[in-house]
Amino acid sequence: MAEEETEKKESKLDGLKQNKMLLFIIIGVVALLLIILIVVAILLFSGGSDEEQVAATGGAQPAQVSAAEQGSKAKAGGNFLSVGPMVPLDQFIVNLMTSSGGKRYLKTTIALELSIADMQAEIENKRDVIRDTIITILSSKTFEEVQTARGKQKIKDELQERINEYLVDGRITNIFFTDFVVQ
């Protein structure tokens, strides 16, 4: 009889050990799934990486970068100790693209940093072309594209590249948003 009681106690202990082990396995699987979910969410909400952008452009990367482009990239990184001549542009108000049918607009004021002061005359002569280019680019963006700092930097890069296509005397080295309101 004493042996039967000890066997029952041992079987109960074995059952408890198995239940605890099963509980630890379930907790481990849930924790692993939670970590995977967090990593996926971070990747989705952080946007694409530079490698993904290169892949999206067909893998084409410029082999050489001009000195003006290197200077503009250094300034975009935060080196504002030697800012070149600036040309402020008038205010822009554009409708943003929406997929939900809602109405959103962007109101912004932009200042262009020039590589040389002699470019101001060329900028004045081509002011309408530059404004049209800026309006076209800004109105092609969605609210999601313009709300993040990364999105604003992409817009600056795109504007700088497109405006520089029209210039002969020098280059736009940086673009500054002096006002930026999305509604």
Side-chain angles (χ1 to χ4, degrees):
M1 179 118 163
E3 290 179 14
E4 289 178 17
E5 287 181 25
T6 56
E7 285 180 18
K8 287 181 182 179
K9 288 180 181 178
E10 287 178 8
S11 66
K12 286 183 180 180
L13 290 175
D14 288 340
L16 288 175
K17 288 180 182 177
Q18 288 177 352
N19 286 341
K20 285 183 180 179
M21 190 172 198
L22 183 62
L23 182 64
F24 284 125
I25 290 173
I26 291 173
I27 290 173
V29 169
V30 169
L32 182 64
L33 289 174
L34 185 61
I35 291 171
I36 291 172
L37 181 65
I38 290 171
V39 169
V40 169
I42 289 171
L43 291 175
L44 286 175
F45 291 116
S46 69
S49 68
D50 291 339
E51 294 172 2
E52 291 173 355
Q53 292 173 359
V54 169
T57 59
Q61 280 186 322
Q64 296 177 346
V65 179
S66 70
E69 290 174 359
Q70 287 176 348
S72 69
K73 289 183 181 181
K75 287 181 182 173
N79 182 8
F80 299 115
L81 294 177
S82 60
V83 177
M86 303 289 283
V87 174
L89 299 176
D90 295 331
Q91 188 177 63
F92 295 90
I93 300 175
V94 296
N95 291 318
L96 295 173
M97 291 181 51
T98 59
S99 59
S100 63
K103 301 207 185 266
R104 294 212 179 249
Y105 73 90
L106 166 66
K107 179 178 92 169
T108 186
T109 306
I110 295 175
L112 306 175
E113 180 184 359
L114 311 177
S115 59
I116 55 175
D118 298 339
M119 286 181 56
Q120 289 184 348
E122 182 179 12
I123 295 293
E124 288 302 318
N125 288 339
K126 296 180 179 178
R127 186 173 286 272
D128 292 335
V129 174
I130 292 170
R131 281 191 60 81
D132 177 66
T133 301
I134 293 172
I135 290 170
T136 301
I137 291 172
L138 292 178
S139 64
S140 71
K141 303 300 177 192
T142 63
F143 172 73
E144 289 77 20
E145 291 175 304
V146 302
Q147 72 180 357
T148 64
R150 184 179 221 171
K152 289 177 183 76
Q153 186 59 47
K154 285 181 182 180
I155 292 170
K156 287 181 181 184
D157 293 341
E158 185 176 354
L159 288 172
Q160 181 177 344
E161 182 181 328
R162 291 282 301 275
I163 293 170
N164 280 334
E165 291 175 3
Y166 302 115
L167 301 176
V168 178
D169 293 339
R171 295 276 169 248
I172 301 296
T173 56
N174 210 340
I175 293 178
F176 297 97
F177 291 119
T178 56
D179 184 28
F180 200 92
V181 178
V182 180
Q183 186 173 2

